[in-house]
Structures are given as C-alpha cells and as structure tokens.
C-alpha cells in the first residue's frame, strides 16, 4: 500500500485500488506491469520483487523497473538504460532469463537508492551483479561483483528505518546452510580500476543539423589524473575511434590534496583537433580507467553552436 492505494500485482497486470473510502474503487489497470516470474509453488511473482521507498512503491519484472508515487506509474528504465542485463556472459534479458533466477529489490533509506539484484538464488545467473538507481539524481549505476557469487540471499529488509540488510549463506540443502551472515548495504565510494562511462549520444535537440563543439567543462573534485577522457561523434562507440582533448588522453588532474579536496574544480577541455568536432550531428563523452574513491563529478557543460543550413 501507498498513499491510500492498494497495489495488486498479478502475473501480467497491475491493479491500483483506491482504499481511502468505505467502498474500494479500481482506479487503473496496467498490462505488462505485473510480477511475471513463476516461483516453484506456481504462484505468480516473488515477495522480493517489490519494495516500499520514501518515494512510493518500486518493483521489477522482465521489462524493467517501475515506481508508483501515489499518483502515477513511472518506468525508471525506459530510455535510460538498455533493457538487457549486461554481464560477463554477454547480454541477457533484464531479469528472469534463467529459470533459477529470483529477482530481488530493496531500498536504502540513507542514500535514497533502489538496489536491484538480478537473482537472490545461487541457482540463478550473475547473482553477484546489481543495478542501483539513485532517486535523487534519477540515474543508474551497474556494478559487477557487488555480492558474492554462488550464495543464497534473502529478500532485502530495512532495519530501524535506516539500515538495508540482506541475509546470505553458502549454497546448500535447506536446513543445512553454512557460513550464514547478514550483510549491510554500505553506500560509500571506493577506488574502481575498471570504470567505463559513455554519456548518451547528445544531438542538442536537432538530430539533422550539423554542429561545432568548442569546449567541454567538467566540474569535479578528487584524484582524476589517471582517468581517460575522450569524446565520440555521430554515435561512435568504438573506443579506438574516439578523439582527444587538450592533446592528452588523461586531461584531468589530481585534486585530492588537503586544500583541494572539498573544492569543486573546473576543467576546460578543448578538442585537440578542432575539425574532428566540426560539422557533426551528435556528441558523446567517454571516461575509462581508474576512478579514485574521492573522485566526484558535479556537472558537465558542452559549448557548441548550430551550423547554418546551406
């Protein structure tokens, strides 16, 4: 329930019922928004597929992740991330591509983030991988090896309104589990050595018009001098065909000294070869390499102009 509404999840359909008055009223029904997995009991859906957040009810199915805020249903994944789960084994369905998968979703009250676990079962696939949605910035993060592989996990539980917990144990027969522990979600940054970030392909609202990009400003703090920063044009995703800024593959600096660590720094990046950023239709930024735990980006600004149509 949320905001005087009862959410009834079927296999393929979600019903929203108004329970604020003496008579229950069916307000809306949504096809393809139900809990479409089949537990061993042959019932529809798992309790771990939905959770309550400070913003409403969140749930996940094979099509993506959704949020009901008391007024409307919003897809948190459409046009934001690929609807395929990307893992070490290639591309799989978003959730439920394996018969052993038990999807699980939880909410961390401290960080205001939704944690999506592909499967809580050791009999599933890629259970150590998670997708994290930040409700404040409305952005997704994909993380591999966040949990331990080949373990059985419980549903997520919020303890004392602030701690997101999950129980996990070695994969074994029921009643004979070993190494049982309770894990707490810790939302603290750490150094990552295999970061890879592509922004979306930005056409500045005019996909059929040529542009010229002059500069990119990145407001950041922390140690970033080992982070590769390049750009691609016209939808390019091949990292070997990306272009350089400031005649340097790593144009950002280390800003983690005592006097710098709490200050936002503005990096001015100019295309090394200006003609490569001229007469383009779209533009995207690329970052890869090592991101130290104290590295943060505040905003990115692109300076450009539309070219006249001849």
């Amino acid at each position: 329930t949320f905001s005087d509404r009862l959410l009834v999840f079927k296999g393929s359909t979600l019903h929203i019922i108004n329970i604020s008055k003496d008579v229950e009223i069916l307000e809306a029904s949504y096809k393809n928004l139900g809990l479409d997995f089949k537990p061993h009991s042959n019932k529809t859906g798992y309790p771990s597929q939905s959770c309550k957040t400070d913003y409403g009810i969140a749930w996940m199915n094979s099509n993506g992740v959704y949020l009901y805020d008391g007024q409307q249903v919003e897809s948190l994944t459409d046009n934001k991330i690929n609807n395929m789960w990307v893992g070490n084994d290639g591309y799989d369905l978003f959730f439920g591509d394996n018969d052993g998968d038990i999807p699980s979703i939880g909410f961390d009250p401290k960080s205001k983030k939704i944690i999506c676990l592909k499967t809580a079962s050791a009999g599933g696939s890629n259970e150590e991988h998670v997708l994290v949605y930040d409700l404040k910035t409305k952005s997704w993060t994909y993380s591999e090896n966040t949990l331990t592989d080949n373990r059985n996990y419980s549903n997520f539980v919020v303890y004392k309104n602030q701690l997101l917990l999950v129980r996990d144990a070695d994969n074994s027969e029921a009643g004979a589990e070993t190494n049982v522990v309770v894990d707490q979600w810790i939302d603290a940054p750490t150094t990552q050595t295999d970061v890879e970030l592509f922004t979306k392909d930005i056409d500045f609202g005019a996909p059929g018009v040529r542009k010229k990009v002059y500069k990119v400003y990145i407001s950041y703090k922390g140690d970033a001098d080992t982070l590769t920063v390049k750009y691609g044009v016209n939808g390019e995703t091949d990292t070997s065909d990306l272009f350089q800024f400031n005649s340097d593959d790593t144009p950002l600096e280390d800003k983690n000294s005592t006097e710098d660590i709490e200050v936002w720094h503005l990096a001015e990046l100019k295309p090394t070869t200006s003609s490569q950023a001229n007469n383009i239709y779209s533009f995207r930024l690329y970052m890869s390499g090592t991101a130290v735990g104290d590295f943060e980006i505040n905003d990115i600004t692109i300076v450009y102009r539309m070219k006249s149509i001849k």
Side-chain angles (χ1 to χ4, degrees), residues 125-144:
S125 58
N126 293 331
E127 69 267 20
E128 72 274 21
H129 304 334
V130 297
L131 281 167
V132 181
Y133 183 75
D134 191 321
L135 284 157
K136 294 181 294 184
T137 63
K138 300 185 182 300
S139 59
W140 282 99
T141 303
Y142 170 71
S143 179
E144 293 186 0

Side-chain angles (χ1 to χ4, degrees), residues 85-92 126 128-129 142 144-145 149 194:
W85 185 281
V86 184
N88 292 329
D89 300 325
Y91 290 85
D92 297 320
N126 293 331
E128 72 274 21
H129 304 334
Y142 170 71
E144 293 186 0
N145 304 316
D149 196 8
D194 55 354

